mmCIF file of all heavy atoms in Angstrom:
data_model
loop_
_atom_site.group_PDB
_atom_site.id
_atom_site.type_symbol
_atom_site.label_atom_id
_atom_site.label_comp_id
_atom_site.label_asym_id
_atom_site.label_seq_id
_atom_site.Cartn_x
_atom_site.Cartn_y
_atom_site.Cartn_z
ATOM 1 N N GLN A 1 0.106 -24.506 0.372
ATOM 2 C CA GLN A 1 0.412 -24.977 -0.975
ATOM 3 C C GLN A 1 1.229 -23.944 -1.734
ATOM 4 O O GLN A 1 1.198 -22.747 -1.423
ATOM 5 C CB GLN A 1 -0.877 -25.296 -1.735
ATOM 6 C CG GLN A 1 -1.762 -24.100 -2.003
ATOM 7 C CD GLN A 1 -3.048 -24.475 -2.710
ATOM 8 O OE1 GLN A 1 -3.405 -25.651 -2.798
ATOM 9 N NE2 GLN A 1 -3.754 -23.484 -3.225
ATOM 10 N N ALA A 2 1.975 -24.401 -2.719
ATOM 11 C CA ALA A 2 2.765 -23.499 -3.543
ATOM 12 C C ALA A 2 1.877 -22.412 -4.136
ATOM 13 O O ALA A 2 0.772 -22.683 -4.603
ATOM 14 C CB ALA A 2 3.476 -24.268 -4.647
ATOM 15 N N GLY A 3 2.379 -21.183 -4.102
ATOM 16 C CA GLY A 3 1.619 -20.046 -4.584
ATOM 17 C C GLY A 3 0.789 -19.365 -3.519
ATOM 18 O O GLY A 3 0.264 -18.267 -3.751
ATOM 19 N N GLY A 4 0.697 -19.982 -2.365
ATOM 20 C CA GLY A 4 -0.081 -19.423 -1.273
ATOM 21 C C GLY A 4 0.694 -18.414 -0.459
ATOM 22 O O GLY A 4 1.825 -18.064 -0.780
ATOM 23 N N SER A 5 0.068 -17.963 0.621
ATOM 24 C CA SER A 5 0.649 -16.925 1.462
ATOM 25 C C SER A 5 0.587 -17.295 2.931
ATOM 26 O O SER A 5 -0.302 -18.027 3.365
ATOM 27 C CB SER A 5 -0.093 -15.596 1.264
ATOM 28 O OG SER A 5 0.010 -15.131 -0.065
ATOM 29 N N LEU A 6 1.529 -16.779 3.684
ATOM 30 C CA LEU A 6 1.545 -16.875 5.131
ATOM 31 C C LEU A 6 2.085 -15.572 5.693
ATOM 32 O O LEU A 6 2.897 -14.914 5.052
ATOM 33 C CB LEU A 6 2.430 -18.023 5.622
ATOM 34 C CG LEU A 6 1.917 -19.454 5.538
ATOM 35 C CD1 LEU A 6 3.037 -20.413 5.945
ATOM 36 C CD2 LEU A 6 0.701 -19.647 6.419
ATOM 37 N N ARG A 7 1.648 -15.218 6.885
ATOM 38 C CA ARG A 7 2.225 -14.095 7.597
ATOM 39 C C ARG A 7 2.813 -14.586 8.903
ATOM 40 O O ARG A 7 2.092 -15.113 9.755
ATOM 41 C CB ARG A 7 1.196 -12.996 7.884
ATOM 42 C CG ARG A 7 1.849 -11.727 8.449
ATOM 43 C CD ARG A 7 0.847 -10.681 8.895
ATOM 44 N NE ARG A 7 0.177 -11.054 10.133
ATOM 45 C CZ ARG A 7 -0.527 -10.218 10.894
ATOM 46 N NH1 ARG A 7 -0.660 -8.945 10.518
ATOM 47 N NH2 ARG A 7 -1.115 -10.642 11.991
ATOM 48 N N LEU A 8 4.108 -14.416 9.043
ATOM 49 C CA LEU A 8 4.788 -14.766 10.279
ATOM 50 C C LEU A 8 4.826 -13.562 11.202
ATOM 51 O O LEU A 8 4.957 -12.423 10.748
ATOM 52 C CB LEU A 8 6.209 -15.241 10.007
ATOM 53 C CG LEU A 8 6.379 -16.409 9.030
ATOM 54 C CD1 LEU A 8 7.850 -16.804 8.954
ATOM 55 C CD2 LEU A 8 5.513 -17.583 9.444
ATOM 56 N N SER A 9 4.708 -13.819 12.487
ATOM 57 C CA SER A 9 4.783 -12.770 13.485
ATOM 58 C C SER A 9 5.879 -13.095 14.480
ATOM 59 O O SER A 9 6.163 -14.259 14.751
ATOM 60 C CB SER A 9 3.452 -12.627 14.227
ATOM 61 O OG SER A 9 2.408 -12.269 13.347
ATOM 62 N N CYS A 10 6.481 -12.067 15.018
ATOM 63 C CA CYS A 10 7.490 -12.221 16.056
ATOM 64 C C CYS A 10 7.178 -11.234 17.162
ATOM 65 O O CYS A 10 7.182 -10.021 16.930
ATOM 66 C CB CYS A 10 8.891 -11.982 15.490
ATOM 67 S SG CYS A 10 10.219 -12.079 16.710
ATOM 68 N N ALA A 11 6.892 -11.754 18.339
ATOM 69 C CA ALA A 11 6.600 -10.926 19.496
ATOM 70 C C ALA A 11 7.861 -10.776 20.334
ATOM 71 O O ALA A 11 8.500 -11.760 20.682
ATOM 72 C CB ALA A 11 5.482 -11.541 20.326
ATOM 73 N N ALA A 12 8.204 -9.542 20.652
ATOM 74 C CA ALA A 12 9.403 -9.249 21.419
ATOM 75 C C ALA A 12 9.043 -8.694 22.782
ATOM 76 O O ALA A 12 8.083 -7.940 22.924
ATOM 77 C CB ALA A 12 10.292 -8.257 20.671
ATOM 78 N N SER A 13 9.827 -9.064 23.768
ATOM 79 C CA SER A 13 9.638 -8.539 25.110
ATOM 80 C C SER A 13 10.519 -7.319 25.336
ATOM 81 O O SER A 13 11.500 -7.106 24.615
ATOM 82 C CB SER A 13 9.961 -9.611 26.151
ATOM 83 O OG SER A 13 11.345 -9.934 26.125
ATOM 84 N N GLY A 14 10.166 -6.526 26.329
ATOM 85 C CA GLY A 14 11.012 -5.428 26.745
ATOM 86 C C GLY A 14 10.695 -4.098 26.096
ATOM 87 O O GLY A 14 10.218 -4.045 24.957
ATOM 88 N N ARG A 15 10.982 -3.051 26.833
ATOM 89 C CA ARG A 15 10.747 -1.693 26.358
ATOM 90 C C ARG A 15 11.769 -1.241 25.327
ATOM 91 O O ARG A 15 11.547 -0.237 24.636
ATOM 92 C CB ARG A 15 10.765 -0.721 27.542
ATOM 93 C CG ARG A 15 9.626 -0.875 28.516
ATOM 94 C CD ARG A 15 9.794 0.083 29.677
ATOM 95 N NE ARG A 15 8.671 0.009 30.603
ATOM 96 C CZ ARG A 15 7.597 0.777 30.534
ATOM 97 N NH1 ARG A 15 7.496 1.690 29.572
ATOM 98 N NH2 ARG A 15 6.622 0.643 31.413
ATOM 99 N N THR A 16 12.884 -1.960 25.214
ATOM 100 C CA THR A 16 13.959 -1.561 24.321
ATOM 101 C C THR A 16 13.818 -2.116 22.914
ATOM 102 O O THR A 16 14.720 -1.946 22.097
ATOM 103 C CB THR A 16 15.329 -1.983 24.885
ATOM 104 O OG1 THR A 16 15.357 -3.406 25.048
ATOM 105 C CG2 THR A 16 15.586 -1.306 26.214
ATOM 106 N N PHE A 17 12.691 -2.759 22.611
ATOM 107 C CA PHE A 17 12.480 -3.351 21.301
ATOM 108 C C PHE A 17 12.744 -2.368 20.174
ATOM 109 O O PHE A 17 13.346 -2.712 19.158
ATOM 110 C CB PHE A 17 11.064 -3.914 21.195
ATOM 111 C CG PHE A 17 10.689 -4.347 19.810
ATOM 112 C CD1 PHE A 17 11.190 -5.526 19.276
ATOM 113 C CD2 PHE A 17 9.829 -3.585 19.033
ATOM 114 C CE1 PHE A 17 10.844 -5.938 18.001
ATOM 115 C CE2 PHE A 17 9.473 -3.978 17.765
ATOM 116 C CZ PHE A 17 9.978 -5.165 17.244
ATOM 117 N N SER A 18 12.295 -1.130 20.334
ATOM 118 C CA SER A 18 12.399 -0.150 19.264
ATOM 119 C C SER A 18 13.834 0.215 18.915
ATOM 120 O O SER A 18 14.082 0.793 17.855
ATOM 121 C CB SER A 18 11.613 1.120 19.623
ATOM 122 O OG SER A 18 12.134 1.721 20.791
ATOM 123 N N SER A 19 14.780 -0.112 19.775
ATOM 124 C CA SER A 19 16.176 0.211 19.518
ATOM 125 C C SER A 19 16.897 -0.863 18.697
ATOM 126 O O SER A 19 18.056 -0.680 18.338
ATOM 127 C CB SER A 19 16.928 0.440 20.828
ATOM 128 O OG SER A 19 17.065 -0.767 21.557
ATOM 129 N N TYR A 20 16.214 -1.951 18.401
ATOM 130 C CA TYR A 20 16.816 -3.071 17.680
ATOM 131 C C TYR A 20 16.419 -3.077 16.215
ATOM 132 O O TYR A 20 15.260 -2.854 15.870
ATOM 133 C CB TYR A 20 16.378 -4.403 18.286
ATOM 134 C CG TYR A 20 16.944 -4.712 19.650
ATOM 135 C CD1 TYR A 20 16.336 -4.234 20.794
ATOM 136 C CD2 TYR A 20 18.076 -5.506 19.772
ATOM 137 C CE1 TYR A 20 16.851 -4.528 22.047
ATOM 138 C CE2 TYR A 20 18.590 -5.810 21.012
ATOM 139 C CZ TYR A 20 17.978 -5.324 22.153
ATOM 140 O OH TYR A 20 18.486 -5.630 23.390
ATOM 141 N N ALA A 21 17.399 -3.354 15.371
ATOM 142 C CA ALA A 21 17.072 -3.790 14.023
ATOM 143 C C ALA A 21 16.556 -5.218 14.126
ATOM 144 O O ALA A 21 16.973 -5.973 15.003
ATOM 145 C CB ALA A 21 18.299 -3.732 13.125
ATOM 146 N N MET A 22 15.647 -5.590 13.249
ATOM 147 C CA MET A 22 15.054 -6.918 13.297
ATOM 148 C C MET A 22 15.257 -7.633 11.970
ATOM 149 O O MET A 22 15.160 -7.025 10.904
ATOM 150 C CB MET A 22 13.561 -6.839 13.604
ATOM 151 C CG MET A 22 13.233 -6.223 14.957
ATOM 152 S SD MET A 22 13.822 -7.226 16.352
ATOM 153 C CE MET A 22 12.851 -8.719 16.135
ATOM 154 N N GLY A 23 15.527 -8.910 12.070
ATOM 155 C CA GLY A 23 15.735 -9.697 10.874
ATOM 156 C C GLY A 23 14.978 -11.011 10.911
ATOM 157 O O GLY A 23 14.587 -11.496 11.974
ATOM 158 N N TRP A 24 14.745 -11.554 9.739
ATOM 159 C CA TRP A 24 14.210 -12.898 9.594
ATOM 160 C C TRP A 24 15.245 -13.760 8.884
ATOM 161 O O TRP A 24 15.854 -13.331 7.892
ATOM 162 C CB TRP A 24 12.910 -12.907 8.789
ATOM 163 C CG TRP A 24 11.715 -12.417 9.542
ATOM 164 C CD1 TRP A 24 11.182 -11.166 9.524
ATOM 165 C CD2 TRP A 24 10.892 -13.190 10.424
ATOM 166 N NE1 TRP A 24 10.077 -11.103 10.334
ATOM 167 C CE2 TRP A 24 9.875 -12.329 10.905
ATOM 168 C CE3 TRP A 24 10.907 -14.514 10.856
ATOM 169 C CZ2 TRP A 24 8.888 -12.765 11.791
ATOM 170 C CZ3 TRP A 24 9.935 -14.943 11.744
ATOM 171 C CH2 TRP A 24 8.942 -14.075 12.199
ATOM 172 N N PHE A 25 15.432 -14.953 9.400
ATOM 173 C CA PHE A 25 16.322 -15.942 8.810
ATOM 174 C C PHE A 25 15.562 -17.248 8.658
ATOM 175 O O PHE A 25 14.506 -17.427 9.268
ATOM 176 C CB PHE A 25 17.554 -16.162 9.686
ATOM 177 C CG PHE A 25 18.467 -14.973 9.768
ATOM 178 C CD1 PHE A 25 18.166 -13.894 10.572
ATOM 179 C CD2 PHE A 25 19.643 -14.940 9.030
ATOM 180 C CE1 PHE A 25 18.998 -12.797 10.654
ATOM 181 C CE2 PHE A 25 20.501 -13.848 9.097
ATOM 182 C CZ PHE A 25 20.174 -12.778 9.908
ATOM 183 N N ARG A 26 16.099 -18.143 7.868
ATOM 184 C CA ARG A 26 15.481 -19.453 7.741
ATOM 185 C C ARG A 26 16.557 -20.517 7.624
ATOM 186 O O ARG A 26 17.676 -20.251 7.194
ATOM 187 C CB ARG A 26 14.534 -19.519 6.543
ATOM 188 C CG ARG A 26 15.205 -19.356 5.190
ATOM 189 C CD ARG A 26 14.149 -19.229 4.105
ATOM 190 N NE ARG A 26 14.738 -19.136 2.775
ATOM 191 C CZ ARG A 26 14.046 -18.896 1.669
ATOM 192 N NH1 ARG A 26 12.724 -18.721 1.740
ATOM 193 N NH2 ARG A 26 14.666 -18.831 0.493
ATOM 194 N N GLN A 27 16.192 -21.726 8.009
ATOM 195 C CA GLN A 27 17.120 -22.834 7.947
ATOM 196 C C GLN A 27 16.380 -24.097 7.528
ATOM 197 O O GLN A 27 15.474 -24.548 8.222
ATOM 198 C CB GLN A 27 17.811 -23.047 9.294
ATOM 199 C CG GLN A 27 18.935 -24.063 9.250
ATOM 200 C CD GLN A 27 19.805 -24.005 10.491
ATOM 201 O OE1 GLN A 27 19.402 -23.478 11.527
ATOM 202 N NE2 GLN A 27 21.008 -24.535 10.390
ATOM 203 N N ALA A 28 16.775 -24.633 6.396
ATOM 204 C CA ALA A 28 16.224 -25.881 5.904
ATOM 205 C C ALA A 28 17.077 -27.038 6.408
ATOM 206 O O ALA A 28 18.250 -26.848 6.749
ATOM 207 C CB ALA A 28 16.186 -25.879 4.381
ATOM 208 N N PRO A 29 16.521 -28.254 6.474
ATOM 209 C CA PRO A 29 17.287 -29.406 6.945
ATOM 210 C C PRO A 29 18.592 -29.581 6.180
ATOM 211 O O PRO A 29 18.604 -29.561 4.952
ATOM 212 C CB PRO A 29 16.339 -30.583 6.696
ATOM 213 C CG PRO A 29 14.981 -29.983 6.770
ATOM 214 C CD PRO A 29 15.126 -28.619 6.151
ATOM 215 N N GLY A 30 19.685 -29.728 6.915
ATOM 216 C CA GLY A 30 20.985 -29.947 6.302
ATOM 217 C C GLY A 30 21.631 -28.721 5.689
ATOM 218 O O GLY A 30 22.691 -28.836 5.069
ATOM 219 N N LYS A 31 21.025 -27.556 5.857
ATOM 220 C CA LYS A 31 21.558 -26.336 5.274
ATOM 221 C C LYS A 31 21.912 -25.321 6.346
ATOM 222 O O LYS A 31 21.432 -25.389 7.479
ATOM 223 C CB LYS A 31 20.561 -25.713 4.293
ATOM 224 C CG LYS A 31 20.248 -26.573 3.081
ATOM 225 C CD LYS A 31 19.332 -25.848 2.112
ATOM 226 C CE LYS A 31 19.998 -24.628 1.511
ATOM 227 N NZ LYS A 31 19.116 -23.933 0.530
ATOM 228 N N GLU A 32 22.760 -24.377 5.985
ATOM 229 C CA GLU A 32 23.149 -23.306 6.884
ATOM 230 C C GLU A 32 22.019 -22.300 7.022
ATOM 231 O O GLU A 32 21.173 -22.165 6.135
ATOM 232 C CB GLU A 32 24.412 -22.620 6.350
ATOM 233 C CG GLU A 32 25.045 -21.624 7.314
ATOM 234 C CD GLU A 32 25.539 -22.283 8.582
ATOM 235 O OE1 GLU A 32 26.250 -23.302 8.487
ATOM 236 O OE2 GLU A 32 25.214 -21.769 9.674
ATOM 237 N N ARG A 33 21.997 -21.616 8.141
ATOM 238 C CA ARG A 33 21.005 -20.571 8.346
ATOM 239 C C ARG A 33 21.176 -19.485 7.286
ATOM 240 O O ARG A 33 22.287 -19.018 7.020
ATOM 241 C CB ARG A 33 21.134 -19.984 9.747
ATOM 242 C CG ARG A 33 20.018 -19.035 10.125
ATOM 243 C CD ARG A 33 19.975 -18.829 11.633
ATOM 244 N NE ARG A 33 19.728 -20.078 12.339
ATOM 245 C CZ ARG A 33 19.531 -20.175 13.646
ATOM 246 N NH1 ARG A 33 19.549 -19.091 14.393
ATOM 247 N NH2 ARG A 33 19.327 -21.355 14.205
ATOM 248 N N GLU A 34 20.065 -19.060 6.711
ATOM 249 C CA GLU A 34 20.062 -18.162 5.568
ATOM 250 C C GLU A 34 19.324 -16.869 5.886
ATOM 251 O O GLU A 34 18.225 -16.888 6.438
ATOM 252 C CB GLU A 34 19.404 -18.865 4.374
ATOM 253 C CG GLU A 34 19.225 -18.013 3.136
ATOM 254 C CD GLU A 34 18.379 -18.702 2.082
ATOM 255 O OE1 GLU A 34 17.626 -19.635 2.442
ATOM 256 O OE2 GLU A 34 18.473 -18.317 0.901
#
């Protein structure tokens, strides 16, 4: 519900994970990835 909270997680494979910058994006129906 509006005003609530969620925590998203992203699990990555590989030993090289630490060398990557990480980002979150979102895409709503009919819209460009943001």
Side-chain angles (χ1 to χ4, degrees):
Q1 65 182 13
S5 298
L6 283 174
R7 188 187 73 165
L8 304 184
S9 298
C10 178
S13 67
R15 293 177 177 268
T16 60
F17 171 75
S18 61
S19 69
Y20 290 85
M22 298 295 296
W24 285 97
F25 293 78
R26 65 189 183 186
Q27 188 166 19
K31 297 184 65 178
E32 189 63 49
R33 189 163 299 186
E34 175 189 21

